[in-house]
Amino acid sequence: MKPLKDRFNSFSELARHKKEGEHYMIVVQEKAESRVSIIAPHGGNIEPNTSKIAQGIAANDHNLYIFEGLEDVGSFHELHVTSHLFDEPRCLDLVAKTDVTVSIHGCRSKEEVIYIGGRDEKLKQSLAAEFNKHSIRAEI
């Protein structure tokens, strides 16, 4: 399946065409004692359930950032910005303050599996082992 092309190449571009509170909302919860941030840059109706997963992981222990699409139909096409181009200032500020950032994304799959990516090889191995130990299929 060919991936859909994003409508906007950055959050800055998106913000010139979409309105916070109408098309999207942003949630930021900082925990001064935490050096870990959990982010969902495609929350709400952009990639369904990623907001809930991020909230569950962050709980009351870690920093949380969610960019949530509010439109019922078309949120993915209208609001998805590829992660490495996502330059929303509150997200960048939060991530800059932390040592570890875990980004939650959705994918289309017929299988129930967690795909783990990123540059921190030790963290990826540790997460995969922990998920698999609890009978949750995880692949790097």
Side-chain angles (χ1 to χ4, degrees):
M1 180 182 318
K2 184 179 177 183
L4 298 173
K5 182 171 175 13
D6 289 343
R7 181 169 177 198
F8 303 109
N9 292 316
S10 66
F11 175 81
S12 303
E13 185 180 334
L14 179 148
R16 288 192 296 270
H17 300 276
K18 299 293 181 178
K19 185 176 179 184
E20 187 169 356
E22 182 179 334
H23 300 106
Y24 65 89
M25 70 179 218
I26 294 173
V27 174
V28 181
Q29 296 173 358
E30 289 192 55
K31 304 290 180 187
E33 66 282 357
S34 181
R35 299 297 296 159
V36 175
S37 289
I38 310 300
I39 67 171
H42 305 132
N45 292 323
I46 302 169
E47 291 176 354
N49 298 315
T50 59
S51 296
K52 292 177 188 174
I53 293 167
Q55 289 168 329
I57 295 169
N60 291 318
D61 302 317
H62 303 298
N63 300 303
L64 176 67
Y65 173 91
I66 302 172
F67 176 79
E68 288 201 325
L70 299 177
E71 299 173 334
D72 287 337
V73 178
S75 277
F76 185 93
H77 174 72
E78 290 295 316
L79 299 172
H80 187 277
V81 174
T82 299
S83 296
H84 71 277
L85 300 174
F86 191 80
D87 59 349
E88 197 283 317
R90 288 166 281 187
C91 183
L92 296 178
D93 180 58
L94 185 66
V95 169
K97 297 176 188 175
T98 59
D99 297 327
V100 175
T101 300
V102 176
S103 184
I104 307 301
H105 297 272
C107 70
R108 288 186 185 155
S109 177
K110 292 180 181 175
E111 303 176 76
E112 289 188 9
V113 60
I114 296 172
Y115 295 111
I116 302 172
R119 293 180 281 188
D120 187 330
E121 294 298 326
K122 186 176 177 183
L123 179 59
K124 289 190 305 189
Q125 294 293 334
S126 176
L127 288 171
E130 195 65 26
F131 284 125
N132 289 318
K133 181 171 84 175
H134 294 282
S135 300
I136 300 169
R137 187 171 156 225
E139 295 180 11
I140 295 174

